[in-house]
Amino acid sequence: MGRILPFFILIAAVGLFFGYVQPTYKEEIAAQRAKIRSYDSALAAAATFREKREALIEQQNAIPQSDRTRIEGFLPDGVDNVQLIVDLNALASRSGMRLSDFNIAEAEESQGVEPGRIALDAVQAVDSLEISVTAVGTYGSFRTFLAGVEHSLRPMDLVDLQISDSETGVYNYAMTFRIYWLR
Amino acid sequence: MFSLFMLGLSVAGAVGIFAYGEVLKGVDRAKSAELVVAEADIDSSQVEAFIRSRDRFTSSADILDRHIELSNFFEVLESLTLVNVRFDSFGFTYLPDGTGEITLSGSARSFNALAAQSSAFSAQKEIKRAIFSGIQVAENGTVSFTVEATLDDDLLVFKEDAVAVPVAPAPAAPIESAAPATTSAPSGTLVPPSSATTSPVTPTSL
């Protein structure tokens, strides 16, 4: 018995090591540590986010409210083409032009791919619409109107223009403007 | 003795592992709670607002970079058009590659005037591939024509600090002794700016 007991004790020691200590260390403990590492990583990302957010808030507050309003007018959240037509009409009146026959056509979806259109990173953030309109007026009035359109707060790209002569000095204009808004 | 030592070592290891596991569980719970607080601190609407702001700024810059300003072209056209040439129709189409395509039809008082006008267009580097076609001579000697050309985007794209596009000097218009070929300009037609290449005698239509 005295000779067998140490052998059993040794078996128990080996059994305890390989039955509990080693599997617990290699599985549970390792899994727990991996989980904690992922938490650390997420917490580090959260800290980076907080720093970035504070910096962005600071940058945003540095932009005057009037400028923010202007950039929202430059690229609005919606198409609001009716207001645009009203504004175009007012500009035309001031310039001595008379507008008529407004038509709307949505631009193709491939806008971001073509060089003449808007190219953005991964997501196409801008949508566009084409408004065609006919007008009559003198050349001088047209130039005034065109300059007004080109320098308006909301960008309108004149993508198509047809001018036909008349004997009266009043020309006929068929114009297509492309307008943009943030999706 | 050795057996007892090994057993003691195993028991100590087991106790240590158990204790370490409990410590890790505590750390896990603490960090999990910290993460919940961090997640709660994230305002998704604020993040969305930031993303929209970024999109608005980058897209606006992109739109502005490609904003079409056709007035640049009209200024050049006014300077290039000879006094004895008139245009009676104009077509412009903005192409997807960023260039513009124009079609003009008009008449010149003579072939010489038409040739001079062609040279004027050719000398303007922003007006490319100007092709005169449909040339017909009327009974009164005037020459009607159509010109098609491509406009370089330098001539079309809006520039914040726009500098006037340099206009190539147009060749001197051939001297015409007869009455002006173009009819007197109707009200509203442009009068070319006075320059060495054009005479203020006959206004140019369009």
Side-chain angles (χ1 to χ4, degrees), chain B residues 68-141:
Chain B
I68 300 166
E69 194 170 22
L70 200 58
S71 292
N72 294 338
F73 166 71
F74 280 114
E75 281 174 25
V76 171
L77 182 65
E78 288 168 21
S79 302
L80 288 180
T81 304
L82 303 179
V83 292
N84 40 22
V85 172
R86 74 187 300 273
F87 296 110
D88 47 35
S89 76
F90 171 81
F92 163 78
T93 303
Y94 186 68
L95 301 174
D97 65 359
T99 59
E101 203 172 65
I102 56 162
T103 305
L104 285 154
S105 65
S107 58
R109 285 171 61 182
S110 65
F111 270 115
N112 284 347
L114 180 59
Q117 187 61 69
S118 174
S119 298
F121 273 29
S122 301
Q124 190 67 31
K125 66 181 175 62
E126 288 86 3
I127 299 177
K128 295 175 176 172
R129 295 193 294 276
I131 298 170
F132 286 72
S133 61
I135 299 167
Q136 290 181 329
V137 184
E139 284 183 2
N140 62 1

Side-chain angles (χ1 to χ4, degrees), chain B residues 147-170:
Chain B
V147 57
E148 291 178 349
T150 304
L151 304 181
D152 196 277
D153 62 352
D154 283 350
L155 202 56
L156 297 174
V157 173
F158 172 80
K159 292 175 182 66
E160 194 176 0
D161 302 316
V163 178
V165 176
V167 178

Side-chain angles (χ1 to χ4, degrees), chain A residues 134-152:
Chain A
T134 57
V136 290
T138 63
Y139 178 76
S141 300
F142 168 70
R143 287 295 309 274
T144 305
F145 172 72
L146 186 61
V149 166
E150 287 169 348
H151 293 90
S152 68

Side-chain angles (χ1 to χ4, degrees), chain A residues 12-140:
Chain A
V14 171
L16 185 63
F17 182 80
F18 289 105
Y20 176 74
V21 176
Q22 193 191 39
T24 304
Y25 183 79
K26 283 196 169 176
E27 291 167 19
E28 285 180 33
I29 299 293
Q32 199 75 260
R33 288 172 67 177
K35 196 174 170 187
I36 289 169
R37 273 199 301 274
S38 73
Y39 282 150
D40 285 341
S41 172
L43 286 168
T48 307
F49 168 79
R50 278 196 299 274
E51 283 173 23
K52 186 76 179 171
R53 183 183 59 190
E54 296 308 315
L56 287 173
I57 289 171
E58 201 174 324
Q59 283 178 29
Q60 194 173 38
N61 291 339
I63 302 170
Q65 182 58 44
S66 58
D67 286 356
R68 275 186 268 169
T69 306
R70 283 175 65 79
I71 189 78
E72 282 165 14
F74 184 93
L75 191 59
D77 289 319
V79 56
D80 201 7
N81 58 308
V82 175
Q83 183 58 47
L84 191 75
I85 288 170
V86 170
D87 293 343
L88 265 181
N89 219 21
L91 175 63
S93 297
R94 287 200 301 275
S95 309
M97 297 272 287
R98 189 157 47 83
L99 303 185
S100 58
D101 295 339
F102 289 92
N103 283 301
I104 308 293
E106 201 156 345
E108 292 173 10
E109 288 296 316
S110 54
Q111 187 180 6
V113 179
E114 296 175 17
R117 303 286 181 85
I118 303 303
L120 296 175
D121 300 328
V123 181
Q124 183 63 37
V126 172
D127 215 338
S128 67
L129 192 77
E130 289 185 355
I131 296 179
S132 59
V133 58
T134 57
V136 290
T138 63
Y139 178 76

Side-chain angles (χ1 to χ4, degrees), chain B:
Chain B
M1 197 64 187
F2 175 73
S3 303
L4 285 174
F5 175 74
M6 291 302 289
L7 183 64
L9 211 59
S10 293
V11 169
V15 170
I17 284 293
F18 179 78
Y20 185 47
E22 289 304 306
V23 168
L24 288 181
K25 280 178 186 169
V27 172
D28 183 342
R29 281 193 294 271
K31 287 192 184 290
S32 176
E34 206 178 330
L35 198 58
V36 168
V37 172
E39 279 177 348
D41 189 38
I42 297 172
D43 182 355
S44 60
S45 63
Q46 189 183 39
V47 173
E48 196 179 330
F50 283 139
I51 291 169
R52 280 191 79 74
S53 290
R54 181 208 61 186
D55 287 345
R56 199 184 303 278
F57 280 110
T58 54
S59 302
S60 296
D62 205 355
I63 289 169
L64 209 53
D65 284 345
R66 294 207 157 270
H67 183 43
I68 300 166
E69 194 170 22
L70 200 58
S71 292
N72 294 338
F73 166 71
F74 280 114
E75 281 174 25
V76 171
L77 182 65
E78 288 168 21
S79 302
L80 288 180
T81 304
L82 303 179
V83 292
N84 40 22
V85 172
R86 74 187 300 273
F87 296 110
D88 47 35
S89 76
F90 171 81
F92 163 78
T93 303
Y94 186 68
L95 301 174
D97 65 359
T99 59
E101 203 172 65
I102 56 162
T103 305
L104 285 154
S105 65
S107 58
R109 285 171 61 182
S110 65
F111 270 115
N112 284 347
L114 180 59
Q117 187 61 69
S118 174
S119 298
F121 273 29
S122 301
Q124 190 67 31
K125 66 181 175 62
E126 288 86 3
I127 299 177
K128 295 175 176 172
R129 295 193 294 276
I131 298 170
F132 286 72
S133 61
I135 299 167
Q136 290 181 329
V137 184
E139 284 183 2
N140 62 1
T142 59
V143 183
S144 62
F145 63 91
T146 299
V147 57
E148 291 178 349
T150 304
L151 304 181
D152 196 277
D153 62 352
D154 283 350
L155 202 56
L156 297 174
V157 173
F158 172 80
K159 292 175 182 66
E160 194 176 0
D161 302 316
V163 178
V165 176
V167 178
I175 297 167
E176 304 289 347
S177 57
T182 51
T183 56
S184 59
S187 62
T189 53
L190 70 91
V191 178
S194 57
S195 72
T197 58
T198 57
S199 155
V201 177
T202 313
T204 307
S205 297
L206 267 182

